[in-house]
């Protein structure tokens, strides 16, 4: 990696360091239900505190309505309700102003961080207001303050220059360690550096690790290199499919997107998820693979149901059929047993694997078997193969199954890792200083 990291910085003692973290943790009734993201940020924060820096931490949490800004923004969903006469703009704004400071505050994260970091962290009740400035000014060496939710200001997502200047405040150094938002170009993730407000800009240990493992595997994979893609739609992953096909030896397809590929091969897919407009694209990818001497593996058998489960975890009857014999009134919901074996066999022979997206409607236990089989196959090759889980649903599946410590790397950013797989440069990384 050619970007500077915190390790490349000298003389951190007494320096004001602004660190963008990803503390967007799941919460229920003010209680953090999964603190992985907090744990992931600790190495960088500890390093800076131990080196005697004065650390200002910042992050977003959820999708608030910019309640700290003069203008409260309403999203499309809200505006539809207003148009339908169900409510008024004023009522929605009042509700957001009342609920969100409680629901989407980072105060519980500050409390947890303070416990984990031996009482060295305080919380500021605003982002660029009086409390934040007073607390930043009062920091002693080896102490930290966490600012309130950045997205309480619309200026964060709109990269407002004045906001960037106030957010930077007294910062000598900017550290980006929020891999989960590195694909976003916002004030705190990129603009603060792009506008030249903070000149010294480096990544933290979390981003460094994410890049080391993922970018290096994409650029210099040990072969055979297998990429596994699943999830709902082909349309969402066009560039990922194209880019991965160029890099890998075998591309394994599962999930809802498999049916558009099967249709492209001339099979009937019943009532399965189908992206009509992308059938030609899938044909093109199949041809591209054949020409390049690469393999695209599609499900050879399919778990079908006669309807989509509602609720999603409904007990449902299934029948496994060959993928070229899906009945007209049936829906493909998961990869079948033969496909699971076929995919596991490929994984067994691989030296590098990256995986993004479930093999079926894994939220339903009956339809989760394909996703479980892939996770198991990856766990089995632990130590012999580099296995990378690109965040999101596949990461959740691996964690729920208890295989987290049997993977080389589980990314903390679903969207960001997908953009890396697409071959894109992430704004939150592009803006950082190059190593000499
Ligand atoms: P994505 O966000 O694109 O990774 O898609 C994840 C979603 O794809 C999950 O909610 C799955 O339930 C859904 N999914 C996976 N397989 C299928 C399928 N065969 N039909 C419909 N949805 C599916």
């Amino acid at each position: 990696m050619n970007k500077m990291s915190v390790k490349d910085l000298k003389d951190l003692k007494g320096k004001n360091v602004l660190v963008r973290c990803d503390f967007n943790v799941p919460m229920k009734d003010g209680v953090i239900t999964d603190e992985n993201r907090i744990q992931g940020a600790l190495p960088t924060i500890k390093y800076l505190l131990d080196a005697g820096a004065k650390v200002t931490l910042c992050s977003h949490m959820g999708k608030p309505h910019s309640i700290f800004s003069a203008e409260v923004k309403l999203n499309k969903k809200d505006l539809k309700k207003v148009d339908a006469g169900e409510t008024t703009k004023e009522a929605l704004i009042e509700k957001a102003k009342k609920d969100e400071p409680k629901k989407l505050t980072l105060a519980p994260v500050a409390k947890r961080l303070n416990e984990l970091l031996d009482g060295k962290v305080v919380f500021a009740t605003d982002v660029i207001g009086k409390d934040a400035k007073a607390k930043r000014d009062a920091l002693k060496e080896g102490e930290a303050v966490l600012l309130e939710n950045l997205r309480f200001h619309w200026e964060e997502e709109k990269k407002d220059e004045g906001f960037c200047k106030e957010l930077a405040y007294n910062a000598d150094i900017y550290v980006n360690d929020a891999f989960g938002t590195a694909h976003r170009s916002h004030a705190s993730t990129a603009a603060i550096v792009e506008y030249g407000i903070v000149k010294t800009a480096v990544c933290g240990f979390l981003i460094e690790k994410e890049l080391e493992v993922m970018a290096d595997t994409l650029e210099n994979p040990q072969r055979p290199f297998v990429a596994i893609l699943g999830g709902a739609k082909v349309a969402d992953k066009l560039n990922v499919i194209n880019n991965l096909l160029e890099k890998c030896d075998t591309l394994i397809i599962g999930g809802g997107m498999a049916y558009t590929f099967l249709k492209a091969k001339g099979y009937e897919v019943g009532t399965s998820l189908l992206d009509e407009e992308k059938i030609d694209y899938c044909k093109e990818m199949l041809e591209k693979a054949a020409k390049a001497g690469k393999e695209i593996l599609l499900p050879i058998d399919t778990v079908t149901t006669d309807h989509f489960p509602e609720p999603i975890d409904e007990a449902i009857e299934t029948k496994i059929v060959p993928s070229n014999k899906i009945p007209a009134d049936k829906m493909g919901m998961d990869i079948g047993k033969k496909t699971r074996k076929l995919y596991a066999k490929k994984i067994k022979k691989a030296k590098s694997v990256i995986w993004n997206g479930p093999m079926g409607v894994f939220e339903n236990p009956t339809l989760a078997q394909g996703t479980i089989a892939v996770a198991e196959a990856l766990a089995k090759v632990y130590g012999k193969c580099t296995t990378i889980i690109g965040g999101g649903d596949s990461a959740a599946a691996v964690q729920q199954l208890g295989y987290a410590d049997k993977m080389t790397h589980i990314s903390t950013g679903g969207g960001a890792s997908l953009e890396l797989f697409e071959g894109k440069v992430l704004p939150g990384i592009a803006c950082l200083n190059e190593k000499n």
Side-chain angles (χ1 to χ4, degrees):
M1 220 230 336
N2 60 350
K3 293 292 178 181
M4 279 176 71
S5 93
V6 278
K7 261 189 294 179
D8 300 312
L9 296 172
K10 308 237 153 44
D11 303 329
L12 282 162
K13 199 170 154 50
K15 292 272 164 59
N16 286 297
V17 184
L18 176 69
V19 189
R20 174 55 156 106
C21 299
D22 180 4
F23 291 140
N24 184 25
V25 291
M27 292 233 256
K28 199 158 187 262
D29 305 324
V31 178
I32 299 164
T33 54
D34 176 353
E35 65 172 37
N36 266 326
R37 285 184 166 157
I38 299 180
Q39 292 289 345
L42 287 180
T44 298
I45 304 172
K46 275 189 185 151
Y47 180 85
L48 292 167
L49 294 178
D50 289 349
K54 298 175 181 178
V55 180
T56 300
L57 305 165
C58 62
S59 172
H60 75 284
M61 164 76 86
K63 290 184 179 153
H65 291 80
S66 324
I67 49 170
F68 280 10
S69 305
E71 190 190 342
V72 177
K73 293 267 151 88
L74 292 179
N75 57 34
K76 278 188 197 147
K77 212 167 114 200
D78 287 337
L79 290 171
K80 264 194 189 159
K81 283 189 198 159
V82 173
D83 287 345
E86 287 169 29
T87 183
T88 62
K89 270 189 188 174
E90 292 69 28
L92 284 170
I93 290 170
E94 274 316 301
K95 191 168 169 355
K97 282 194 168 166
K98 194 163 150 266
D99 294 350
E100 288 177 1
K102 281 184 232 138
K103 267 196 202 153
L104 298 175
T105 177
L106 282 167
V109 174
K111 187 165 171 266
R112 184 67 187 129
L113 272 175
N114 195 39
E115 286 164 8
L116 292 164
L117 293 166
D118 307 322
K120 291 177 186 148
V121 186
V122 291
F123 179 61
T125 54
D126 52 28
V127 182
I128 52 171
K130 271 191 197 155
D131 197 43
K133 284 184 179 138
K135 288 187 173 137
R136 291 174 84 170
D137 284 338
L139 285 177
K140 299 201 182 76
E141 290 175 6
E143 289 181 349
V145 55
L146 171 62
L147 306 180
E148 182 52 290
N149 188 349
L150 288 162
R151 291 194 192 159
F152 281 165
H153 287 265
W154 62 262
E155 295 91 336
E156 159 67 1
E157 288 178 76
K158 294 282 178 236
K159 302 168 76 165
D160 180 79
E161 193 165 353
F163 176 75
C164 287
K165 283 184 183 150
E166 299 222 43
L167 180 63
Y169 188 51
N170 58 5
D172 306 300
I173 296 165
Y174 166 82
V175 176
N176 191 0
D177 210 20
F179 183 73
T181 45
H183 59 312
R184 307 267 180 234
S185 181
H186 294 165
S188 69
T189 60
I192 202 166
V193 187
E194 287 167 359
Y195 294 148
I197 298 166
V198 188
K199 300 263 179 329
T200 306
V202 303
C203 66
F205 294 121
L206 181 64
I207 285 199
E208 188 178 36
K209 186 176 160 224
E210 294 268 11
L211 288 184
E212 246 168 40
V213 186
M214 291 203 279
D216 286 0
T217 299
L218 285 171
E219 289 321 312
N220 291 306
Q222 297 271 353
R223 294 185 186 275
F225 175 24
V226 175
I228 310 171
L229 284 180
K233 289 195 200 149
V234 175
D236 294 341
K237 294 187 183 158
L238 296 179
N239 296 329
V240 183
I241 297 168
N242 191 32
N243 190 46
L244 287 182
L245 196 52
E246 275 165 24
K247 311 231 178 255
C248 71
D249 303 297
T250 302
L251 178 61
I252 289 182
I253 306 273
M257 58 196 270
Y259 304 101
T260 309
F261 274 94
L262 291 171
K263 185 84 180 174
K265 281 187 77 168
Y267 301 164
E268 287 311 319
V269 295
T271 54
S272 310
L273 201 61
L274 180 67
D275 265 343
E276 294 272 4
E277 285 171 17
K278 299 296 172 231
I279 298 173
D280 284 344
Y281 176 85
C282 292
K283 275 187 195 158
E284 210 183 289
M285 290 299 114
L286 291 168
E287 278 161 22
K288 182 172 166 168
K291 262 191 210 149
K294 304 202 170 183
E295 212 178 9
I296 294 187
L297 290 188
L298 299 174
I300 49 174
D301 59 349
T302 296
V303 177
T304 61
T305 61
D306 58 11
H307 66 281
F308 195 89
E310 175 65 50
I312 193 108
D313 58 352
E314 172 199 17
I316 198 159
E317 267 188 38
T318 60
K319 191 169 177 216
I320 299 183
V321 300
S323 294
N324 58 355
K325 292 206 173 66
I326 300 177
D329 60 346
K330 297 279 189 229
M331 201 175 259
M333 286 285 149
D334 193 10
I335 56 173
K337 285 186 184 161
K338 287 183 185 151
T339 310
R340 288 172 220 161
K341 272 196 190 146
L342 173 74
Y343 289 2
K345 219 165 134 190
K346 261 296 152 202
I347 292 169
K348 200 171 166 193
K349 289 193 187 139
K351 285 276 174 285
S352 325
V353 180
I354 60 173
W355 178 25
N356 182 289
M359 295 290 101
V361 181
F362 77 111
E363 296 92 334
N364 185 306
T366 313
L367 308 171
Q369 298 309 312
T371 305
I372 293 174
V374 166
E376 270 170 7
L378 289 174
K380 273 193 192 145
V381 295
Y382 181 63
K384 290 181 249 166
C385 169
T386 303
T387 50
I388 296 176
I389 317 300
D393 290 334
S394 354
V398 165
Q399 266 146 357
Q400 275 161 26
L401 290 164
Y403 292 136
D405 57 356
K406 293 262 184 300
M407 304 293 148
T408 312
H409 183 67
I410 301 180
S411 177
T412 54
S417 60
L418 257 189
E419 291 203 9
L420 271 189
F421 296 169
E422 276 180 43
K424 276 195 189 159
V425 179
L426 311 184
I429 290 162
C431 69
L432 304 176
N433 299 160
E434 299 274 330
K435 276 187 182 160
N436 293 329

